Amino acid sequence: MEISSKEHTHFFSNNTIMPVDRSSFKSESSASKEKQSCCGGIKIFLGALSFVYFAKALSGSYLKSTITQIERRFDIPSSLVGVIDGSFEIGNLLIIILVSYFGAKLHRPRIIGAGCLIMSAGTFLIAMPQFFMGRYRYERFPSTINSTVSLSPCLQDKSQTPLSALEKSQTKINAGCVQTVAIIGPIFGFLLGSLCAKLYVDIGFVDLDSVTISPKDVEWVGAWWLGYLIAGVISILAGIPFWFLPKHLPKPESRKDSSTSSEHSKFIIEENKDQRTSYWQQAKLAEMAKEFFPSLKNLFGNPVYILYLCASIIQFNSLIGMVTYKPKYIEQQYGQTSSKTNFVIGLINIPAVAFGIFSGGLIMKKFGLGVLGAAKLSLGSSFFGYLLLLSLFAMGCENSDVAGLTVSYHGAKPMTDYKEALFSECNSGCSCSKNDWDPICGENGVTYVSACLAGCQASNGSGKNTVFFNCSCVGTFESSQSSSAVVGPCQKGNDCPKMFLYFLVISVITSYTLSVGGTPGYILLLRCIKPHLKSFALGIYTLAIRVLAGIPAPVYFGVAIDTTCLKWGSKRCGGRGACRLYDSSALRYVYLGLTLVLGTVSIFFSVAVLWVLRKRSSPQDETLSASGERGTCGTKSRKDNFANSDRLIQSTYWPEKETRL
């Protein structure tokens, strides 16, 4: 028994010497040690869990940053890349049911540790094709490889070695802090993608001096595989601490008698809670199974929940598709390198998203917004976000001048039938292939698909310093004063860098604006559901977002983007490869238009949510909301729906928010 200060005063005032019970000091000491052990265990667990969130977010965002690299490396269209990206969600769905079932029965920390090992194995597996498929081969005129001998790009002599044979000869060469860290993870993921994109794909296996392309070339592929190896190692390190944690963390002494517990604290329980009879477990399971369909009916009978679920699914389709192909859009529209694109997204866009999420929660808490206020804030965020997105239509770059694709060989615009237009009188005497993509830049500022199609008769130099001379097609162009050309495509127009700057500013503001509505919308979802159905409702919500948005959005966005391709590459074994050149205007309208249409549809559903809330709420409820107290989703269950609202605001999370820009 502990001795209070009041009892001490009474003892000494009577000058009475009392025997001291040493057990009381032992109990105080043991209690203090237990408290320190508990706090230490919880801190270790939270620290380890934060690191796991960081590793998972880094891996997911790095996958987004390597989309264009994988597309070029394996010569696949955007639609197939979308399937690869969507398979990330398929993997989650396959394992989430098993983890949910066995997680409560087995050693939870070790399950997390095993999950980290599986995640690391997955990232290693993604990188494996790099080591099994040989070195990366890009299309280049033979004289640019390792020779200073002057060869004629225009193959007038049919006995000359064709390009494909020369290329073949080269193949023999070889929540709390937890959620904060989850936001930091994508920043490092895109920065890692930026770093790896600067390195050549076969670094360490080939002589880099023999590489004749630069990061500015469309055919450039960075060391995409290196980041997956790094992410795999980080996942392994993140899982190590969980193998040494106990099955249950001790509950603090001050909280053992507490009648309230959140969903996040259910892991911190006593050992004696596991000592349950099998009969009770069977009865509990039978009761849960019996209540499943009534609960499902109750949930889908809630109009606010259904409307908000539809709005979220459509909006996430819009956001996921936009984020997945944002690096490709920046590269193709503004002529930026993969490295710079990933750097910009990681250092500018994602922090804007994090600040928007924080601002949404802060506004909710500072102004004491109720359900109606949350619905208005969420709707306003979406409306102004997509309104800003509309302005991006005016911030694009024109197509580069590519002879035979976007302009004719005489300078006329536009081109209609590019397949036939690749050949002209100026290159009619050359044996050229229409499937090659080895761009050169003429001194007239026009890009030619290959030196052969430019009608070049001679070349000098080697590697990136190769110069082509006597190019008959360059000399026939209207503004041409010379007939020479250099390796690589010409740069975009002079106004393009300025447009890219405008795009970045509007993109950051748009990302912030859309993110502000995330927290209010999530709180709206929770407050309109009965307390005993919240976990079930969140499970259905997460499942629907993953199945109906996370999987299909990258696929049909990729299919739509493929329709804007002007020049397809060719695979070594035959068939269509990756796209080499996109129609800038068509890409802008398809990419932004699809995003905007989906966003507009989601806004209509959000308006319906607000209309239902206004219809179901009374004027008194709106007065309470305006005065800083909690609003209501329905007057019948107001008290139940708003319990622990402050805790909900602090622990806000929605599926894959760390990778949504």
Side-chain angles (χ1 to χ4, degrees):
M1 178 181 69
E2 297 184 0
I3 301 176
S4 65
S5 59
K6 189 175 181 180
E7 289 172 335
H8 276 293
T9 306
H10 175 71
F11 292 153
F12 287 102
S13 63
N14 291 325
N15 296 322
T16 306
I17 301 176
M18 299 288 293
V20 179
D21 186 4
R22 297 182 181 272
S23 62
S24 63
F25 292 99
K26 291 182 179 179
S27 63
E28 291 179 2
S29 177
S30 61
S32 177
K33 290 181 178 179
E34 181 182 357
K35 183 177 180 180
Q36 292 178 357
S37 175
C38 174
C39 292
I42 294 176
K43 289 180 179 179
I44 293 175
F45 175 75
L46 287 178
L49 189 63
S50 298
F51 195 26
V52 170
Y53 266 67
F54 172 82
K56 186 257 183 186
L58 185 144
S59 300
S61 58
Y62 185 76
L63 175 63
K64 302 287 186 186
S65 72
T66 58
I67 289 295
T68 56
Q69 307 290 312
I70 294 175
E71 180 179 332
R72 296 170 186 169
R73 174 64 179 87
F74 301 105
D75 264 332
I76 54 179
S78 298
S79 56
L80 186 54
V81 173
V83 174
I84 296 174
D85 184 78
S87 65
F88 187 79
E89 299 292 349
I90 297 176
N92 286 332
L93 293 176
L94 292 176
I95 200 67
I96 192 171
I97 298 176
L98 295 176
V99 172
S100 300
Y101 180 77
F102 290 106
K105 303 177 182 297
L106 302 177
H107 199 294
R108 296 183 183 183
R110 290 182 181 175
I111 290 179
I112 298 176
C116 291
L117 291 179
I118 295 174
M119 185 167 64
S120 66
T123 54
F124 288 144
L125 191 62
I126 294 176
M128 286 301 103
Q130 170 66 21
F131 305 100
F132 296 144
M133 297 190 64
R135 305 283 75 83
Y136 173 57
R137 294 173 293 179
Y138 50 89
E139 300 170 1
R140 270 292 180 261
F141 178 70
S143 67
T144 66
I145 297 175
N146 58 6
S147 174
T148 58
V149 180
S150 178
L151 295 177
S152 173
C154 181
L155 300 179
Q156 297 177 348
D157 186 0
K158 301 292 184 179
S159 64
Q160 279 189 264
T161 306
L163 182 62
S164 59
L166 288 173
E167 288 176 337
K168 290 180 181 178
S169 66
Q170 299 297 318
T171 59
K172 298 180 181 179
I173 305 174
N174 302 331
C177 62
V178 173
Q179 301 299 338
T180 303
V181 174
I183 290 293
I184 296 175
I187 297 178
F188 282 88
F190 277 99
L191 292 180
L192 179 62
S194 174
L195 175 63
C196 293
K198 289 182 179 180
L199 307 176
Y200 184 63
V201 60
D202 292 324
I203 185 173
F205 299 97
V206 298
D207 182 11
L208 296 181
D209 292 334
S210 65
V211 178
T212 60
I213 57 176
S214 67
K216 295 182 180 180
D217 287 304
V218 178
E219 293 179 283
W220 174 268
V221 176
W224 61 274
W225 52 273
L226 183 60
Y228 286 109
L229 297 182
I230 296 174
V233 172
I234 293 176
S235 297
I236 292 177
L237 295 177
I240 291 177
F242 291 95
W243 295 98
F244 301 96
L245 290 176
K247 185 175 182 181
H248 300 289
L249 294 180
K251 195 173 185 178
E253 195 72 29
S254 60
R255 296 183 60 184
K256 285 186 177 180
D257 297 331
S258 177
S259 59
T260 62
S261 74
S262 66
E263 292 290 333
H264 300 289
S265 64
K266 288 185 177 180
F267 171 67
I268 310 174
I269 58 177
E270 296 296 315
E271 290 283 350
N272 57 16
K273 288 188 178 181
D274 284 340
Q275 301 174 355
R276 301 170 182 173
T277 62
S278 59
Y279 173 79
W280 185 89
Q281 291 179 350
Q282 292 177 359
K284 185 71 175 177
L285 289 175
E287 182 182 354
M288 290 174 61
K290 185 178 180 181
E291 294 178 352
F292 177 80
F293 287 105
S295 299
L296 191 64
K297 182 179 179 181
N298 193 333
L299 194 61
F300 284 103
N302 187 335
V304 176
Y305 177 78
I306 291 297
L307 289 172
Y308 182 76
L309 180 63
C310 293
S312 298
I313 290 173
I314 297 174
Q315 186 177 37
F316 270 105
N317 271 274
S318 170
L319 298 179
I320 292 173
M322 180 178 68
V323 173
T324 300
Y325 294 101
K326 193 168 191 176
K328 173 185 279 291
Y329 179 76
I330 294 176
E331 291 176 35
Q332 295 293 334
Q333 187 68 214
Y334 301 102
Q336 301 297 320
T337 64
S338 296
S339 177
K340 185 175 181 180
T341 298
N342 291 327
F343 182 81
V344 166
I345 293 176
L347 208 61
I348 299 179
N349 278 94
I350 294 181
V353 172
F355 187 56
I357 294 170
F358 174 78
S359 300
L362 187 65
I363 293 173
M364 288 285 295
K365 188 174 182 179
K366 183 175 182 179
F367 295 98
L369 299 181
V371 172
L372 285 175
K376 292 177 181 178
L377 182 58
S378 178
L379 175 61
S381 168
S382 298
F383 177 78
F384 287 107
Y386 287 109
L387 192 63
L388 286 169
L389 193 67
L390 185 64
S391 64
L392 294 180
F393 281 98
M395 300 176 189
C397 297
E398 296 296 328
N399 285 319
S400 299
D401 290 340
V402 182
L405 295 179
T406 60
V407 296
S408 71
Y409 281 89
H410 300 285
K413 299 181 182 180
M415 296 300 301
T416 54
D417 190 356
Y418 74 91
K419 289 184 179 179
E420 297 296 333
L422 283 176
F423 299 102
S424 178
E425 294 180 1
C426 60
N427 56 28
S428 59
C430 303
S431 301
C432 305
S433 171
K434 65 180 180 181
N435 296 324
D436 293 339
W437 178 260
D438 186 8
I440 63 171
C441 179
E443 288 194 358
N444 53 9
V446 177
T447 299
Y448 295 86
V449 173
S450 67
C452 182
L453 288 172
C456 299
Q457 304 295 329
S459 65
N460 189 22
S462 63
K464 301 174 184 177
N465 299 319
T466 303
V467 178
F468 299 95
F469 299 101
N470 300 328
C471 301
S472 57
C473 294
V474 177
T476 59
F477 203 82
E478 290 180 353
S479 60
S480 177
Q481 297 179 355
S482 175
S483 60
S484 62
V486 295
V487 174
C490 299
Q491 297 298 318
K492 288 268 188 176
N494 295 330
D495 293 336
C496 207
K498 182 172 64 175
M499 286 295 180
F500 179 57
L501 181 62
Y502 294 155
F503 170 82
L504 286 182
V505 173
I506 299 299
S507 178
V508 168
I509 299 175
T510 302
S511 299
Y512 171 79
T513 306
L514 290 173
S515 300
V516 168
T519 299
Y522 192 76
I523 298 303
L524 167 66
L525 173 68
L526 291 177
R527 289 185 179 180
C528 290
I529 301 169
K530 294 180 180 179
H532 68 281
L533 292 177
K534 285 183 178 179
S535 297
F536 184 47
L538 290 178
I540 296 294
Y541 179 83
T542 304
L543 182 67
I545 294 297
R546 291 184 182 276
V547 173
L548 301 178
I551 296 175
V555 178
Y556 65 77
F557 261 81
V559 172
I561 288 175
D562 282 341
T563 61
T564 66
C565 184
L566 291 178
K567 180 68 173 68
W568 290 96
S570 299
K571 293 183 179 180
R572 306 290 173 175
C573 55
R576 193 175 72 178
C579 184
R580 304 303 188 192
L581 180 68
Y582 289 90
D583 185 335
S584 295
S585 299
L587 176 63
R588 182 167 67 253
Y589 290 126
V590 167
Y591 174 76
L592 296 178
L594 191 54
T595 301
L596 194 62
V597 168
L598 291 171
T600 303
V601 175
S602 71
I603 289 177
F604 282 113
F605 278 99
S606 298
V607 171
V609 170
L610 183 61
W611 180 78
V612 172
L613 287 175
R614 284 186 175 277
K615 188 176 180 181
R616 296 178 65 179
S617 62
S618 63
Q620 181 182 1
D621 298 323
E622 295 188 32
T623 303
L624 289 173
S625 298
S627 63
E629 297 186 12
R630 302 180 180 97
T632 181
C633 188
T635 56
K636 295 182 180 179
S637 58
R638 181 175 61 198
K639 293 183 179 180
D640 292 337
N641 288 335
F642 298 153
N644 302 322
S645 63
D646 291 336
R647 186 179 73 249
L648 293 175
I649 293 178
Q650 296 174 359
S651 61
T652 300
Y653 180 75
W654 58 91
E656 299 296 327
K657 76 174 182 183
E658 64 269 9
T659 56
R660 309 301 177 220
L661 304 184

